[in-house]
Amino acid sequence: MELKAAVVAPHAHRVVRIACAWFLLLAAGVAHARPDAPSGEDPQRLPPVQGECVVLLHGLGRTHRSMARIDWMLRDAGYATANIDYPSQSQTIEASARTAIPQGVRECRDAGAQRIHFVTHSMGGLLLRYYLGNDPVAGLGRVVMLGPPNQGSEVADALVGTTLYDRVNGPAGAQLVTGPGGIAARLGPAEFPLGIIAGNEQTAFDSVLATRIVGENDGKVAVERAKVDGMADFLVLPVNHTFMVVNDVVIGQVLEFLRHGRFLHEEAATPAAPAG
């Protein structure tokens, strides 16, 4: 196969460089996408939300700190939140889903919530799709997925089997491929109110990896591969995969969907405001 040929001896040094770039990008994302609270002017105050909670699920190689800005702004908008940490690099997506999502639901119930929403980044969306395909959540509200590899990622196709990628990303990293061996191929359509935000810009670290992806992409996931049957709304914004979680325009659209079940598409052409 062509993919296997790309990782054999004559080109192994190039693949290692690509894998190193992936590793460095993960490290950069964890280091820079973790503010305790946003800076700058406070967002416009919204009426408080009673009895509603949002479970936050980070992506592969990240921690709950990467969702800190969204967490802060959701709380400022009146939602209770449960920002869940899970060991994304040491276990399968299924194993993470079976522990992270019940924990989030439990924390929301403890906060008195009757309605539970979810906001996920990247692989976190696959955790939720897997879980909801097997176990319903009573009082499930709306779901927003940011940069989800709902049909897998060509980046995983290119890097699975390389030593550094496999070591850093563990069993879950191998599940992100686009073919029948990936978990995405085994998940059904969305049967819950789902809005998806995809990005179409890349960081400098992503420039090599993005060449493996067909069409518009955020450096990790193709815009088309973020889609899933049954979604209620879909929006493309000029943001990259790693830092979309700290982008104020993205977060504003998250709040819009949680409140109204739709995005503000007239804002899609507005340049993304820098975080902070």
Side-chain angles (χ1 to χ4, degrees):
M1 293 178 60
E2 183 178 354
L3 177 58
K4 291 183 179 179
V7 298
V8 293
H11 304 291
H13 62 289
R14 180 172 180 270
V15 173
V16 169
R17 288 200 305 271
I18 294 173
C20 286
W22 173 275
F23 174 78
L24 290 171
L25 181 55
L26 284 176
V30 172
H32 296 294
R34 46 185 289 182
D36 292 327
S39 57
E41 297 182 0
D42 289 337
Q44 182 180 358
R45 294 280 178 173
L46 296 170
V49 180
Q50 300 296 327
E52 300 193 21
C53 182
V54 183
V55 178
L56 302 170
L57 297 171
H58 62 79
L60 177 64
R62 309 295 285 276
T63 74
H64 70 287
R65 294 185 180 92
S66 68
M67 306 295 280
R69 189 178 185 89
I70 298 177
D71 189 0
W72 188 93
M73 294 183 76
L74 285 166
R75 288 177 177 271
D76 194 63
Y79 293 94
T81 62
N83 191 1
I84 304 303
D85 217 357
Y86 64 94
S88 63
Q89 295 161 285
S90 62
Q91 58 188 18
T92 64
I93 290 172
E94 295 93 333
S96 291
R98 287 191 290 264
T99 57
I101 293 166
Q103 179 185 344
V105 171
R106 186 165 55 251
E107 290 185 16
C108 283
R109 299 283 187 226
D110 290 345
Q114 288 83 47
R115 194 176 189 214
I116 300 177
H117 309 284
F118 288 84
V119 175
T120 70
H121 179 223
S122 193
M123 191 182 78
L126 298 184
L127 268 68
L128 185 61
R129 286 181 60 200
Y130 168 79
Y131 188 88
L132 293 180
N134 295 278
D135 296 284
V137 172
L140 178 65
R142 297 181 174 122
V143 175
V144 180
M145 294 182 179
L146 307 178
N150 276 322
Q151 300 175 46
S153 170
E154 290 96 338
V155 172
D157 292 345
L159 296 182
V160 164
T162 62
T163 301
L164 186 55
Y165 178 90
D166 292 350
R167 183 179 299 162
V168 169
N169 296 299
Q175 293 181 284
L176 299 179
V177 295
T178 62
I183 191 172
R186 305 193 299 273
L187 299 177
E191 297 181 347
F192 46 87
L194 170 63
I196 297 172
I197 299 177
N200 62 4
E201 292 189 350
Q202 305 88 37
T203 67
F205 282 110
D206 290 326
S207 58
V208 174
L209 297 173
T211 63
R212 300 296 188 108
I213 303 173
V214 177
E216 284 190 301
N217 66 85
D218 65 6
K220 298 289 194 301
V221 179
V223 167
E224 288 301 311
R225 289 194 180 277
K227 297 177 179 179
V228 65
D229 289 342
M231 61 186 180
D233 206 351
F234 186 81
L235 183 64
V236 180
L237 291 173
V239 292
N240 63 70
H241 190 83
T242 300
F243 298 111
M244 65 170 59
V245 293
V246 295
N247 183 279
D248 288 345
V249 172
V250 170
I251 298 172
Q253 292 282 3
V254 168
L255 289 167
E256 180 68 19
F257 191 88
L258 293 181
R259 292 271 182 165
H260 305 294
R262 53 171 171 69
F263 297 122
L264 291 173
H265 287 268
E266 60 269 24
E267 293 189 0
T270 303

